[in-house]
Amino acid sequence: MSWIAAHLPILPVLLPSLTAVLLLLIGDHGGDDAAHGHRKLLWARRIALGSVLLGLVIAAELVREAAGGEILVYLLGEWPAPYGIAIVVDRLGALMLLLSSLVALPVLWYATGGWDAHGRYFHALFQFQLMGLNGAFVTGDLFNLFVFFEVLLIASYALMLHGLGGQRLRVGLHYMVLNLAASALFLVGVSLLYAQTGTLNLADLGLRVPRIEGPDAAVAQAAAWLLLVVFGFKAALLPLSLWLPATYAAACAPVAALFAIMTQVGVYAIWRVHGVIFGADAGASAYAVEPLLLPLALGTSVLGVLGALAAHTLERLVAWLTVASVGTVLVALSLFNAAAWSAGLYYMANSTLVIAGLFLLAELVAAQRGDAADRLVPASPVSQPTLLGVLMLLAAASAAGLPPLPGFIGKLMLLQASTDHSWQVTIWSTVLAVGFLTLIGLARAGSIMFWHVRTDLPAGAPSGASPKLIGATLLLLATTVAMSVFAAPIQRYTAAAEQLTDRAAYARADARVRAARPPTARPYDGTAGAPR
Amino acid sequence: MLTAIVIGFATTGFVIELALRSRHDNGSDQVDARPDTQAPR
């Protein structure tokens, strides 16, 4: 057992990647729609579900260890820092790992209800995406963050196109070209930062950025801005959020639900780089992006909710709500204090689960509405109005932040944390108005779909959704209710978010592992440099 | 940086393939919001 314990931090990355390789070796069912009962597909489902379940257990164990306040560091192959790859699991990383497992398990279960048979290699791609997500959450190095970003993006390009069709291909092309541009900017930002500090290790960066002064600090801040563009693009920050609704609405439901956690990778990266490295105590570069981040975050949530009000399909509405919730989380982040960060983490966990659930629910409802599908027009009644209606009500109430659901708790914590901020009035009015408008948008959608039905049309689907699809959606929404029940322990966990700002502890944990090894990283002086 | 170059090549290859497939399936290479239904196939 101690052997497993010693290698625990790397397992969230290793497990999905090995599973993906195994799934590739098993092969594919051939991709035709008649393959539902194919032997290879059945095995792929069992292996993938087992792997994700195991991943959930590992993530839970990591959260348990991280909750004690210890920062777990793992050096791949025991290579010292500048050459080796450091995996660092602290409270934030462990929480994100658990969140991605909690989203992945029901979503994968939902996908085994039929979507995985509509294209090739769904399960292998899903595992590669999980590997990228988990890797981004645990890596302790900015360049490896880039690599894991690419891993998850490449998997997401293929997953986004899963099921094919003209619309997916058209939107997928936007998505991919924009992401390629963002990745190029990421490299430029990383290079600038490396030129100034001589390291890309997040712990080392945390120690060296505060020491940069004078004109060099301006370059470091330029790198921070470039990285904000990149991460803001992933997280759909205001001027860069317009691609998201079209992309997520075009993707099939389980993929869109999984993308809900992919958006949070951007938020996570902003937290790590701008919240901590360029946060308080960063010397000349302290709060480098703070003046613009707060207005942009407020604007993002307003834009998201306006888009949700204007949406003409249910999936687009949910996709716009993703933007709105990211805005709210980024508001919490840009307040730069521990209470707000705790609120933001809590709200982020909840909103990710709710939005993933809403994406699945949107497809369940759409499948029972005949030709109208998910368009918000009066159509034939759904065949399970009570069940789907109650689920919709639950999800809507949590998304809008009605008590006693966790969305409310998260927003309340956020409002409390912003009481002595100079922007308090703006923050309070925006957050409350966004919650109210979210409620209106979802109430409009719900009343059109469940009450404003046309009885002259025949019912859309004679039978209800299969128990598997309902079960997966229910599981996701039940998790959010559980977040409300266990609000106190979760809040205690997120309240320890100030661990993040303790850059010395982060660096010490990293250094303890590479104790007795001389530091070999040096600032780039133009004459010598190690190729990475 | 070698990693980044390799990733860059691979993704560029993929985007070309995707563009070709999109043109084939949609009958045009127009990718903005207006559906271009009149384009010859």
Side-chain angles (χ1 to χ4, degrees):
Chain A
M1 279 316 280
S2 66
W3 182 83
I4 293 181
H7 293 275
L8 198 61
I10 187 68
L11 287 183
V13 185
L14 218 49
L15 179 71
S17 75
L18 290 180
T19 313
V21 171
L22 181 64
L23 289 171
L24 283 180
L25 287 177
I26 287 180
D28 191 50
H29 56 82
D32 45 338
D33 276 355
H36 277 276
H38 197 285
R39 194 169 42 84
K40 282 181 177 171
L41 187 63
L42 292 180
W43 272 107
R45 284 175 181 172
R46 284 176 207 145
I47 293 171
L49 275 173
S51 164
V52 173
L53 200 60
L54 193 58
L56 181 63
V57 174
I58 292 171
E61 172 64 18
L62 280 171
V63 165
R64 202 183 60 78
E65 287 191 20
E70 196 189 350
I71 298 173
L72 305 171
V73 182
Y74 181 87
L75 293 178
L76 282 178
E78 286 294 316
W79 282 87
Y83 310 110
I85 296 171
I87 299 278
V88 183
V89 182
D90 62 353
R91 280 206 182 89
L92 175 60
L95 177 73
M96 299 304 293
L97 280 180
L98 185 61
L99 187 59
S100 83
S101 295
L102 280 178
V103 172
L105 185 63
V107 166
L108 187 64
W109 193 29
Y110 184 97
T112 59
W115 264 114
D116 58 350
H118 289 285
R120 307 196 64 182
Y121 290 111
F122 178 86
H123 289 290
L125 288 167
F126 194 93
Q127 295 293 329
F128 274 125
Q129 169 104 39
L130 273 184
M131 174 201 167
L133 287 168
N134 290 350
F137 292 144
V138 298
T139 184
D141 183 291
L142 201 54
F143 186 75
N144 287 319
L145 185 65
F146 167 80
V147 174
F148 283 120
F149 257 70
E150 290 302 311
V151 171
L152 76 91
L153 281 175
I154 292 167
S156 80
Y157 299 148
L159 277 179
M160 204 247 127
L161 299 172
H162 184 75
L164 291 176
Q167 177 64 17
R168 285 198 187 112
L169 284 166
R170 192 159 44 220
V171 179
L173 195 62
H174 290 193
Y175 173 64
M176 210 183 148
V177 170
L178 288 172
N179 267 308
L180 282 183
S183 297
L185 284 180
F186 196 163
L187 280 180
V188 176
V190 163
S191 315
L192 280 178
L193 215 48
Y194 186 66
Q196 288 308 316
T197 59
T199 181
L200 288 176
N201 186 293
L202 291 173
D204 280 349
L205 277 176
L207 294 180
R208 292 189 192 194
V209 164
R211 282 192 244 139
I212 305 174
E213 280 167 1
D216 286 350
V219 179
Q221 285 162 28
W225 283 106
L226 271 175
L227 292 177
L228 184 69
V229 171
V230 177
F231 302 148
F233 174 78
K234 303 283 191 291
L237 191 62
L238 178 56
L240 305 164
S241 52
L242 297 173
W243 61 275
L244 189 143
T247 309
Y248 284 26
C252 61
V255 172
L258 184 66
F259 282 7
I261 182 82
M262 192 173 76
T263 314
Q264 308 302 344
V265 176
V267 179
Y268 167 84
I270 294 180
W271 225 305
R272 271 270 187 257
V273 173
H274 300 93
V276 179
I277 294 176
F278 288 99
D281 327 316
S285 310
Y287 304 117
V289 297
E290 200 250 351
L292 212 56
L293 190 58
L294 182 56
L296 282 181
L298 289 169
T300 308
S301 56
V302 171
L303 178 78
V305 83
L306 290 181
L309 285 180
H312 49 84
T313 70
L314 186 56
E315 284 184 354
R316 252 176 189 278
L317 191 153
V318 180
W320 276 113
L321 286 183
T322 316
V323 178
S325 80
V326 162
T328 311
V329 177
L330 286 176
V331 167
L333 201 168
S334 54
L335 291 179
F336 285 98
N337 70 54
W341 282 9
S342 161
L345 287 176
Y346 186 88
Y347 185 78
M348 171 165 75
N350 167 60
S351 70
T352 309
L353 292 166
V354 170
I355 282 177
L358 271 172
F359 271 121
L360 299 184
L361 191 59
E363 193 184 71
L364 285 183
V365 175
Q368 299 187 3
R369 294 183 75 231
D371 293 337
D374 69 340
R375 274 180 292 130
L376 294 176
V377 290
S380 50
V382 297
S383 40
Q384 297 168 297
T386 321
L387 177 67
L388 294 181
V390 168
L391 283 178
M392 180 86 184
L393 181 69
L394 182 70
S398 193
L402 290 189
L405 290 160
F408 168 74
I409 302 173
K411 280 191 176 166
L412 189 68
M413 284 159 69
L414 172 60
L415 293 183
Q416 275 176 347
S418 67
T419 39
D420 48 0
H421 194 274
S422 56
W423 283 55
Q424 187 201 355
V425 178
T426 323
I427 293 171
W428 277 56
S429 48
T430 311
V431 169
L432 291 175
V434 164
F436 180 63
L437 291 176
T438 306
L439 191 63
I440 291 184
L442 282 167
R444 180 182 71 109
S447 59
I448 290 176
M449 283 185 305
F450 294 107
W451 292 338
H452 196 187
V453 293
R454 287 173 55 184
T455 42
D456 53 322
L457 292 174
S463 63
S466 78
K468 198 188 252 185
L469 301 186
I470 296 279
T473 316
L474 209 57
L475 182 63
L476 210 45
L477 293 176
T479 319
T480 74
V481 176
M483 276 198 66
S484 188
V485 177
F486 298 106
I490 297 174
Q491 198 200 345
R492 267 202 302 281
Y493 183 89
T494 61
E498 66 250 282
Q499 180 197 26
L500 271 176
T501 53
D502 191 355
R503 54 185 82 208
Y506 192 84
R508 261 202 314 279
D510 210 352
R512 206 166 45 233
V513 177
R514 34 174 152 128
R517 293 191 192 96
T520 41
R522 60 192 181 286
Y524 178 70
D525 58 6
T527 55
R532 291 187 70 86
Chain B
M1 279 298 157
L2 281 175
T3 323
I5 295 167
V6 173
I7 291 171
F9 269 121
T11 44
T12 311
F14 189 84
V15 80
I16 292 170
E17 179 61 31
L18 178 60
L20 288 172
R21 179 67 191 263
S22 172
R23 189 183 185 288
H24 176 264
D25 278 22
N26 288 315
S28 103
D29 54 3
Q30 186 169 357
V31 290
D32 63 6
R34 275 179 298 135
D36 189 17
T37 45
Q38 280 83 36
R41 274 191 166 270

